[in-house]
Every structure is written in structure tokens, then in C-alpha cells.
Amino acid sequence: MSATTTTTTAAQGHAQPITAENILHLFPEIDSSLADTATNGGGSGELQGYDEEQVRLMEEVCIVLDEDDKPIGCASKKVCHLMKNIDLGLLHRAFSVFLFDPEDGRLLLQQRADEKITFPTMWTNTCCSHPLGIPGETGADLSAAIQGVRRAAQRKLGQELGIPSGQVPLDWFKFLTRIHYKAPSNGLWGEHEIDYILFIQAKVDLNINPNEVQAYKYVSADELREMFKDEKLSFTPWFKLICNTMLFEWWSNLDNLDAFTNETQIRRM
């Protein structure tokens, strides 16, 4: 696998690697996106009409990657989630947390709020978000990146679900693997991520942020399988990918995860 992501533009007519040197040339909106303002419930352009708080969060700065998970720059969450940029190859770092009740092994799920700009109302794992281009959450090598996503996971569990950081210590998060996937949300928005999978077993108190989460529930593996049979329910694409490939094997080995942790290869999906 090459050390860069390759893309082709109609104007260029040939493949060009995405590197730190040419990222602004390929994605000129990256510069201007950081100046976008999220006022009066909509910001500008593509963000008109969305929830004010969710628009504000679109200003957060994600870590832009090459295909081997090496940081090559930063761009706003908005820029990273526009399909027009994703289709050119723009890729960013993310994480997915799976939190289990240590007493009965049930998994905490959330249903994303209506206000969410990408994949609203869908059921998904406990928490899914991004480490940011800020001190403590970045990392070029794998060990530093894992620690960065642990910090981001602790932060977002608090912001979305109201879980106190002391109930989810950083060293309780077990890193399993990374998945590289792409998925559209609608015609405008989508995901293209290298997603770090984190498991944690913890008894937690919840104080749900309704702007992020409209419902939650703890489920057993069999209950989750039944949910997937319900045609009235929809699920995020990364959650379905993980469930259809690896989750249930990992879940059945919650008390013996060492054989599945710290995988160095990136799984391409």
C-alpha cells in the first residue's frame, strides 16, 4: 500500500496523490471553511437551515490523513463530511466506542438525534466521533494516535451522554483495530474515515444531551440481532459494517480480549 491517498480530478485528468503539499490545491475550501461562522442557526452555504449547535460543531477541526493513517493536515468537520470532497479522496480520523455493562455484558446503544447533520435518527454504537487537531488528540504513530482517540472518546462520552470522565479512565479503553470505510449520508454529506474501534467495560451514569442523542438502550447480542430484523429501524453504516464482520466474535470474548487487541493492520471495507 502506498503512503499516500490517490485521487483523480476532472480538471487534472490524471491521478494525483494527496499529500501535505497538495492538499490545499485539491481541496481549496479547506482554507475558507475555518472562517465559516455558525450564527443564527445555519452558517453559510451547505449549512443553511440546520440546528445551530450542530452547525457550530461543524467548525471543529478534524485530522486529515493519507491512506496509511498518517496525518497530512487538518480541515473542518464540514469540509471532511462533504461528499464532493470525499469523492476526491479526503479522508479523516475517527473513533467508535462500544461500552459494555461489566455485570451482564450488555452493549449501550444510542439513537442519533434528529438535529444531527449526518445520519440523523439512526441507531449506532455507544459513541462515534473524531479526535480533533488539538493538543492531546493528534498522533502520527499508532501508539500516540490510540492515546489521542482515547482522550477524544472520553471527551465525547461526556459531551453526548453526560458520562463523567472519572467513570471511563483512559487506560480502560481497549483498542482493537482500525477500519477504513466510505459511506454517503445523503447527496450532500457522508463519511470517509479511518475509524479506531475502542471497547470499554464500565458502570456509568448517563445525563443525555438531547441535541446529540434522542434515545438509548442496553442490549444483549441476541437483542441486537433482533433489532436488525426490524425494518422500521435504521442503523449507521459503520455500525452495520462492524456488526456484520467482527462485533459478535469480539463481544463473545469480552473477558478475553487480548487476542483481538492492538491490531496494527488497517481493515479496508
Side-chain angles (χ1 to χ4, degrees):
M1 184 64 64
S2 67
T4 55
T5 300
T6 300
T7 190
T8 302
T9 67
Q12 294 163 330
H14 63 279
Q16 180 171 345
I18 299 174
T19 64
E21 289 71 29
N22 67 20
I23 189 171
L24 290 177
H25 171 68
L26 288 171
F27 307 102
E29 189 179 6
I30 287 175
D31 263 348
S32 61
S33 72
L34 300 181
D36 282 352
T37 55
T39 56
N40 301 318
S44 61
E46 296 94 344
L47 293 174
Q48 284 287 351
Y50 285 107
D51 174 80
E52 182 175 353
E53 174 63 9
Q54 292 298 318
V55 170
R56 184 189 69 79
L57 292 173
M58 279 295 203
E59 296 179 341
E60 293 181 335
V61 178
C62 294
I63 302 165
V64 176
L65 307 169
D66 70 13
E67 205 166 78
D68 292 318
D69 194 29
K70 300 300 182 186
I72 56 173
C74 290
S76 72
K77 185 177 173 184
K78 170 192 169 185
V79 165
C80 287
H81 290 81
L82 285 168
M83 280 305 302
K84 65 182 181 182
N85 294 332
I86 290 170
D87 286 340
L88 289 173
L90 193 62
L91 175 67
H92 63 277
R93 186 173 288 163
F95 65 83
S96 290
V97 173
F98 293 75
L99 186 148
F100 300 88
D101 187 317
E103 293 183 0
D104 58 20
R106 290 181 303 158
L107 171 63
L108 178 59
L109 304 182
Q110 66 155 281
Q111 185 182 20
R112 292 163 68 88
D114 290 339
E115 289 85 354
K116 298 289 283 186
I117 294 172
T118 59
F119 307 99
T121 76
M122 292 185 179
W123 284 93
T124 194
N125 49 284
T126 313
C127 182
C128 331
S129 192
H130 314 89
L132 302 180
I134 59 176
E137 294 190 12
T138 59
D141 62 74
L142 183 57
S143 61
I146 291 169
Q147 196 66 1
V149 298
R150 284 173 172 151
R151 292 191 181 99
Q154 188 184 67
R155 171 177 58 81
K156 289 298 289 185
L157 285 168
Q159 189 257 327
E160 293 189 1
L161 297 163
I163 298 174
S165 60
Q167 295 182 353
V168 285
L170 294 182
D171 59 1
W172 286 18
F173 290 96
K174 293 191 174 183
F175 166 70
L176 279 76
T177 191
R178 295 169 287 176
I179 64 170
H180 177 187
Y181 77 96
K182 180 167 73 172
S185 175
N186 56 27
L188 183 60
W189 306 103
E191 290 285 8
H192 187 207
E193 302 178 330
I194 291 181
D195 189 15
Y196 284 60
I197 310 303
L198 301 175
F199 271 30
I200 185 169
Q201 297 185 67
K203 271 289 187 188
V204 296
D205 298 313
L206 301 176
N207 183 16
I208 300 299
N209 178 354
N211 190 256
E212 294 284 343
V213 178
Q214 64 173 284
Y216 69 93
K217 65 192 304 185
Y218 282 92
V219 297
S220 67
D222 286 340
E223 288 169 337
L224 180 55
R225 290 186 179 99
E226 288 302 310
M227 287 180 69
F228 277 121
K229 295 176 184 178
D230 188 341
E231 295 181 356
K232 299 188 297 293
L233 301 179
S234 58
F235 300 87
T236 59
W238 61 87
F239 184 47
K240 287 194 292 187
L241 273 174
I242 296 165
C243 288
N244 289 337
T245 54
M246 302 163 287
L247 177 65
F248 292 104
E249 182 180 6
W250 292 336
W251 198 343
S252 67
N253 287 277
L254 266 186
D255 296 324
N256 187 30
L257 275 178
D258 289 348
F260 302 96
T261 57
N262 298 313
E263 189 172 277
T264 57
Q265 276 193 313
I266 300 170
R267 298 181 181 233
R268 313 289 179 179
M269 303 208 171

